[in-house]
């Protein structure tokens, strides 16, 4: 055999060996190993589809027992918003499980639609359990004949005083200041209520493992570094947020026919698209509002020519629709992408609108849009999807709420996006959807898991904010069968509903004090219309779905009460102002000090000063218990009159924030010594007479101190001698 042929065979053999090895490396397993668990669910020996079904069943029955601080309660999958993640690649998990390896990337089996609301749900469950626990204890104390009065009083006090939400702390955040034209820091608040964000995080971890119980604890409050608006964390967030506002996007519109034009997207417009994330510090673009803006901008600079055609609906009615005949149209999707790219890069840019030649649409007897289009019949609340002329989706729906002014606009639109697994955000709502197909700005088709029924007249009084709500299966099928730029024809419906104006009863304002118990607003509505409540300042008061108000801090808040429309009454609203005053602080008692202390004096002594003062600087007044013994004037000077005992009191009068106070001293006044009688001298003996004279002299010394002075000096001795000699 020739060398060349041998070389070829060797190479060929190597190729076959490589292919065989590659095939071995990519071996796919059909089932999980025996006794294998995923998130506590035994999936041993199951295929991917079987495991998926088993996990979904476990989720449907899931319940977790939660112990939070000193209360216990259960939470279900519905409470948690727990769902199986349809995107989970179980086949990949089967392969790595059989190889006893870990997957190259994390595969999330579950998602929690209510993750942003979990902390509130956790706190609400805790409050319910805690209140019930204490209420039961109080009831038991009342009925327990063996319980003493002290036990009953304690139980009753605990129940009455329980308030977990006294002052809820929150971290510093950022917010856009319209007047200043920039984002600014907002101070957080340190409070005395527990903090549950860490507890919510730990609960999430337990749930995603499908644990049947978990013990959680609350934190006590935020440190100053998380509270202060001038912290490094907040400063960094402000720098990043305000960088968006420094961007200017210039959009050039240069159609082949018609006049060129320029549109500028600057700070004021960008500010409307920026939304602060749930962490209160991050900022991102609101795609829905941006999409609406770009759609309108594309329409404004559209230079295509239109004519009227006729469209036959699924129900058989014929409506007029605008039909493109010639000219150019602006690609709204590409305009959106260009503007978003410039803003997200935080760099000013000039973008050119992309024009395309308008295709003349089919205008036979009826417009058919090439057999690929969607219909929204507002009158009958139906959605129809056609693909290649065949009806592939026919589903009931719920469109925009007429009574609230959110009616879905009629007209012919184009699908400009196909999104999955995202939040839809708007004024007063945030909803998770699995499928979202927008066609008119922020209006589009999406699933609505929160609705149990569709169709009928729901849209008149309890419809959407404009979107087309559909059951999950129908929304999924629509998503799978539509393409970008496909037409959506919306027709029918009503513009308004009949009904009388709603009159909401109850007070328009409340004046309460910090520390007061929770109270109900007592709002009433005609026809038992459903009411919703919201507070514009939850740092002052919070309100629940039943109109119960909890005081959180000092200040003023406005509670907005809205009533849904009924068959007889229109939707209504009411504003209630609540002023929370600071809790009065108890008066303090000052100390009064008298400088001289208790005193002993003698009749005839000179006046003296008390030297008194009050610790709060209050003015003093004075009293004597017996002015005949000693009196005291307004300056605190004491004058002695006669022998006795007297109480002298200094008094600090009552003043704002201070009680009155006093202090006293005892003054003992001794009697002035009286002259002693002189004993007549004895006639016999000179010694006795001399002694008598000396005694008399001593008496003179006492009465006239300045005249005679007793001393050891010779002068006094000579005086005595002289006097004695004369005698």
């Amino acid at each position: 055999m020739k060398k060349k042929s041998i070389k070829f065979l060797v190479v060929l053999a190597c190729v076959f060996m490589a292919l065989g090895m590659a095939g071995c490396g990519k071996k796919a397993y059909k089932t999980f190993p025996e006794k294998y668990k995923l998130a506590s669910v035994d999936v041993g020996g199951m295929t991917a589809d079987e495991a998926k079904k088993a996990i979904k069943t476990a989720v449907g029955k899931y319940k977790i027992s939660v112990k939070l601080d000193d209360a216990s309660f259960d939470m279900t999958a519905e409470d948690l918003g727990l769902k199986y993640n349809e995107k989970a690649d179980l086949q990949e998990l089967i392969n790595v499980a059989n190889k006893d390896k870990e997957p190259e990337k994390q595969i999330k089996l579950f998602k929690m639609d209510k993750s942003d609301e979990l902390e509130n749900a956790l706190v609400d469950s805790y409050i319910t359990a805690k209140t019930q626990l204490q209420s039961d204890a109080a009831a038991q104390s009342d009925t327990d004949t063996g319980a003493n009065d002290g036990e009953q009083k304690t139980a009753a006090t605990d129940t009455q005083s329980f308030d977990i939400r006294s002052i809820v702390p929150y971290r510093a955040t950022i917010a856009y200041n319209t007047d200043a034209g920039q984002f600014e820091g907002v101070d957080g608040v340190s409070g005395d209520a527990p903090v549950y964000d860490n507890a919510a995080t730990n609960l999430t971890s337990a749930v995603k493992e499908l644990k049947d119980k978990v013990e959680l604890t609350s934190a006590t409050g935020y440190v100053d570094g998380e509270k202060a608006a001038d912290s490094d964390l907040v400063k960094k967030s402000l720098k990043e947020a305000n960088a968006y506002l420094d961007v200017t996007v210039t959009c050039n519109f240069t159609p082949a026919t018609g006049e060129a034009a320029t549109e500028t997207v600057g700070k004021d417009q960008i500010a409307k698209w920026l939304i602060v994330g749930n962490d209160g510090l991050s900022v991102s673009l609101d795609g829905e509002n941006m999409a609406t803006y770009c759609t309108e901008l594309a329409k404004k600079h559209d230079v295509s020519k239109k004519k009227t055609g006729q469209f036959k609906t699924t129900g058989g009615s014929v409506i007029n629709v605008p039909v493109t005949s010639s000219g150019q149209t602006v690609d709204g999707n590409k305009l959106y992408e260009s503007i978003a790219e410039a803003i997200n890069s935080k760099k000013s840019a000039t973008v050119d609108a992309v024009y395309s030649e308008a295709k003349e649409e089919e205008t036979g007897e009826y417009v058919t849009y090439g057999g690929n289009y969607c219909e929204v019949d507002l009158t009958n609340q139906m959605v129809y999807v056609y693909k290649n002329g065949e009806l592939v989706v026919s589903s009931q729906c719920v469109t925009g709420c007429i009574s609230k002014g959110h009616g879905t606009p009629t007209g012919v639109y184009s699908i400009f996006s196909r999104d999955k697994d995202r939040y839809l955000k708007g004024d007063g709502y945030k909803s998770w959807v699995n499928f979202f197909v927008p066609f008119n700005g922020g209006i589009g088709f999406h699933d609505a898991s929160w609705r149990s029924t569709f169709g009928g007249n729901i849209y008149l009084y309890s419809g959407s904010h404009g979107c087309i709500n559909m059951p999950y299966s129908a929304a999924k099928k629509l998503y799978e069968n539509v393409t970008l730029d496909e037409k959506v024809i919306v027709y029918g419906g009503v513009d308004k509903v009949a009904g009388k104006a709603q009159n909401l009863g109850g007070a328009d304002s409340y004046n309460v004090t910090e520390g007061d118990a929770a109270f109900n607003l007592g709002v009433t509505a005609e026809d038992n219309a459903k009411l919703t409540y919201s507070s514009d300042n939850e740092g002052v008061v919070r309100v629940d779905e039943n109109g119960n108000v909890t005081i959180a801090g000092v200040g003023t808040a406005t509670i907005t009460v809205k009533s849904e429309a009924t068959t007889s009454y229109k939707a209504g609203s009411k504003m209630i102002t609540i002023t929370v005053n600071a809790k009065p602080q108890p008066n303090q008692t000052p100390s009064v000090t008298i400088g001289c202390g208790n005193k002993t004096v003698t009749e005839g002594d000179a006046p003296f000063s008390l030297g008194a003062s009050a610790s709060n600087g209050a003015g003093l007044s004075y009293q004597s218990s017996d002015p005949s013994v000693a009196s005291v004037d307004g300056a605190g000077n004491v004058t002695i009159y006669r022998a006795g005992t007297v109480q002298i009191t200094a008094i600090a009068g009552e003043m704002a924030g201070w009680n009155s106070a006093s202090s006293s001293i005892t003054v003992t006044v001794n009697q002035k010594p009286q002259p002693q009688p002189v004993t007549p001298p004895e006639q016999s003996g000179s010694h006795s007479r001399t002694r008598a004279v000396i005694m008399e002299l001593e008496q003179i010394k006492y009465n006239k101190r300045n005249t005679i002075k007793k001393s050891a000096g010779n002068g006094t001795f000579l005086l005595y001698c002289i006097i004695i000699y004369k005698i």
Side-chain angles (χ1 to χ4, degrees):
M1 187 180 290
K2 294 181 179 180
K3 290 184 179 180
K4 191 173 182 181
S5 299
I6 294 172
K7 286 182 180 179
F8 175 76
L9 290 173
V10 171
V11 171
L12 190 63
C14 291
V15 170
F16 281 125
M17 288 177 66
L19 290 172
M21 292 174 67
C24 292
K26 293 181 178 179
K27 179 181 179 181
Y29 298 85
K30 292 183 178 181
T31 63
F32 282 101
E34 294 296 325
K35 298 182 180 180
Y36 193 85
K37 288 186 177 182
L38 284 178
S40 304
V41 180
D42 187 357
V43 295
M46 295 184 182
T47 64
D49 287 341
E50 290 170 341
K52 176 180 177 181
K53 185 177 180 180
I55 295 171
K56 278 189 167 182
T57 301
V59 169
K61 299 178 180 179
Y62 181 67
K63 179 175 70 175
I64 185 169
S65 295
V66 181
K67 186 177 187 301
L68 175 57
D69 293 340
D70 57 346
S72 299
F73 48 89
D74 293 336
M75 298 186 78
T76 64
E78 184 179 356
D79 297 330
L80 300 161
L82 179 68
K83 292 181 179 178
Y84 174 76
N85 181 18
E86 297 288 344
K87 291 183 176 181
D89 190 347
L90 294 186
Q91 183 58 54
E92 172 66 14
L93 289 177
I94 289 176
N95 293 339
V96 297
N98 280 282
K99 296 176 183 178
D100 197 23
K101 294 182 177 180
E102 294 291 330
E104 294 182 359
K105 62 178 182 179
Q106 186 180 9
I107 298 176
K108 298 180 180 179
L109 290 175
F110 308 104
K111 59 183 180 180
M112 297 177 68
D113 291 352
K114 298 181 180 179
S115 57
D116 290 341
E117 306 166 13
L118 188 58
E119 186 177 335
N120 287 334
L122 189 62
V123 175
D124 289 341
S125 298
Y126 175 78
I127 290 174
T128 301
K130 180 73 171 177
T131 303
Q132 185 60 51
L133 182 68
Q134 294 186 344
S135 186
D136 292 345
Q140 181 62 35
S141 295
D142 289 339
T143 57
D144 189 353
T145 56
N148 60 42
D149 290 341
E151 292 173 340
Q152 293 181 8
K153 288 178 181 177
T154 300
T157 302
D158 288 345
T159 304
Q160 294 169 0
S161 63
F162 177 68
D163 181 13
I164 194 171
R165 299 182 190 251
S166 51
I167 301 178
V168 178
Y170 57 86
R171 292 184 176 94
T173 60
I174 62 174
Y176 184 73
N177 186 324
T178 305
D179 295 333
Q182 63 179 8
F183 284 90
E184 296 179 345
V186 180
D187 276 329
V189 170
S190 293
D192 55 5
V195 182
Y196 291 92
D197 52 354
N198 289 332
T201 300
N202 293 334
L203 174 62
T204 300
S205 300
V207 169
K208 289 186 175 180
E209 296 177 17
L210 294 187
K211 291 184 177 180
D212 58 359
K213 60 182 178 181
V214 64
E215 290 192 13
L216 307 171
T217 57
S218 61
T220 54
Y222 296 120
V223 299
D224 289 341
E226 295 174 310
K227 184 186 77 171
D230 61 352
S231 65
D232 291 340
L233 181 65
V234 175
K235 288 178 180 178
K236 181 181 178 183
S237 297
L238 286 175
K239 184 178 180 181
E240 294 176 355
N242 285 319
Y244 285 100
L245 303 176
D246 294 331
V247 174
T248 299
V249 183
T250 304
C251 304
N252 290 332
F253 296 88
T254 54
T257 58
E259 296 182 1
T262 299
E263 300 278 357
T264 301
V265 179
K267 176 190 290 186
D268 293 340
Q269 183 58 61
I270 294 173
K272 297 177 182 178
W273 298 338
L274 295 175
I275 53 176
V276 179
N278 295 323
D279 61 357
L281 296 172
S282 61
V283 171
S284 61
L285 287 173
D286 182 352
E288 290 178 59
N289 285 332
M290 272 195 68
T292 301
Y293 176 87
C294 291
T295 298
E296 294 302 318
L297 203 58
K299 287 181 180 179
K300 179 180 177 182
H301 295 279
D302 188 331
V303 293
S304 64
K305 295 180 180 179
K306 306 286 185 182
K307 62 182 181 181
T308 300
Q310 289 189 317
F311 176 81
K312 189 174 184 178
T313 69
T314 301
S317 62
V318 177
I319 61 174
N320 292 325
V321 295
V323 180
T324 301
S325 61
S326 63
Q328 291 182 306
T329 59
V330 179
D331 190 325
N333 294 330
K334 291 184 178 178
L335 185 63
Y336 172 93
E337 292 170 359
S338 298
I339 295 175
E341 183 181 0
I343 297 173
N344 283 323
S345 67
K346 302 184 181 70
K347 294 180 180 179
S348 296
T350 298
V351 300
D352 295 322
V354 177
Y355 280 87
S356 59
E357 293 297 320
K359 297 180 181 178
E360 185 170 354
E361 294 175 318
E362 181 183 354
T363 57
E365 183 180 6
Y366 299 114
V367 180
T368 62
Y369 300 109
N372 299 303
Y373 59 89
C374 303
E375 284 183 52
V376 181
D377 182 348
L378 298 176
T379 302
N380 297 300
Q381 292 289 282
M382 291 292 296
V383 173
Y384 305 104
V385 179
Y386 286 86
K387 191 175 183 66
N388 298 322
E390 296 291 329
L391 181 64
V392 294
V393 176
S394 177
S395 171
Q396 291 182 318
C397 66
V398 177
T399 58
C401 186
I402 301 299
S403 63
K404 296 179 181 178
H406 300 315
T408 303
T410 58
V412 180
Y413 308 94
S414 298
I415 293 173
F416 62 83
S417 182
R418 294 170 69 252
D419 295 336
K420 291 183 69 177
D421 302 329
R422 57 167 292 182
Y423 279 108
L424 299 181
K425 300 178 182 178
D427 185 17
Y429 72 92
K430 180 181 178 182
S431 304
W432 175 267
V433 299
N434 296 281
F435 309 98
F436 181 54
V437 181
F439 56 82
N440 180 15
I443 295 175
F445 302 97
H446 62 78
D447 55 298
S449 59
W450 53 90
R451 294 190 183 276
S452 57
T453 57
F454 297 84
N457 291 327
I458 297 173
Y459 80 110
L460 296 177
Y461 305 102
S462 190
S464 71
H465 288 79
C467 284
I468 318 301
N469 291 183
M470 301 175 67
Y472 176 89
S473 59
K476 181 176 184 293
K477 198 168 183 180
L478 180 146
Y479 175 87
E480 295 170 344
N481 283 278
V482 299
T483 58
L484 297 182
D485 297 324
E486 197 166 294
K487 297 297 183 184
V488 178
I489 304 97
V490 185
Y491 57 90
V494 297
D495 295 328
K496 59 182 180 180
V497 295
K500 295 179 286 186
Q502 178 66 263
N503 180 32
L504 298 179
D508 295 329
S509 64
Y510 288 86
N511 201 306
V512 295
T513 300
E514 184 183 20
D516 284 356
F519 62 94
N520 191 274
L521 293 172
V523 178
T524 58
E526 303 289 350
D527 209 17
N528 291 320
K530 183 180 178 180
L531 301 175
T532 58
Y533 304 83
S534 63
S535 170
D536 70 345
N537 191 345
E538 294 195 343
V540 175
V541 294
R542 289 179 300 277
V543 60
D544 66 13
E545 60 184 3
N546 298 314
N548 297 312
V549 176
T550 303
I551 298 170
V554 177
T556 301
T558 299
I559 291 180
T560 301
V561 187
K562 294 182 178 180
S563 65
E564 291 189 357
T566 68
T567 54
S568 302
Y569 290 88
K570 299 177 182 177
S573 64
K574 177 185 182 73
M575 310 288 277
I576 302 173
T577 301
I578 299 182
T579 302
V580 181
N581 301 302
K583 185 177 181 179
Q585 297 298 315
N587 285 347
Q588 300 182 61
T589 300
S591 61
V592 178
T593 303
I594 298 178
C596 60
N598 293 330
K599 213 168 171 64
T600 301
V601 296
T602 303
E603 285 181 312
D605 281 358
F608 64 89
S609 175
L610 293 175
S613 62
S615 61
N616 65 339
L620 300 176
S621 61
Y622 303 90
Q623 289 182 352
S624 169
S625 63
D626 191 347
S628 68
V629 175
S631 66
V632 58
D633 63 15
N637 298 312
V638 179
T639 302
I640 309 301
Y641 293 110
R642 65 177 182 85
T645 301
V646 64
Q647 294 285 328
I648 304 296
T649 304
I651 304 166
E654 187 175 339
M655 56 187 292
W658 295 89
N659 297 317
S660 63
S662 64
S663 181
S664 301
I665 63 169
T666 300
V667 179
T668 303
V669 183
N670 294 323
Q671 191 175 17
K672 183 179 180 180
Q674 297 299 314
Q676 298 298 316
V678 178
T679 304
E682 296 180 6
Q683 297 299 319
S684 59
S686 61
H687 179 74
S688 298
R689 179 59 179 165
T690 300
R691 182 174 178 82
V693 171
I694 291 174
M695 290 178 62
E696 187 175 354
L697 289 173
E698 288 289 341
Q699 188 64 45
I700 294 171
K701 169 185 174 288
Y702 180 83
N703 292 333
K704 298 181 180 180
R705 299 178 184 180
N706 296 327
T707 305
I708 305 275
K709 294 184 179 179
K710 186 178 180 181
S711 72
N714 293 331
T716 302
F717 176 75
L718 291 174
L719 176 62
Y720 288 168
C721 290
I722 291 170
I723 294 173
I724 292 170
Y725 177 77
K726 286 182 177 180
I727 292 173

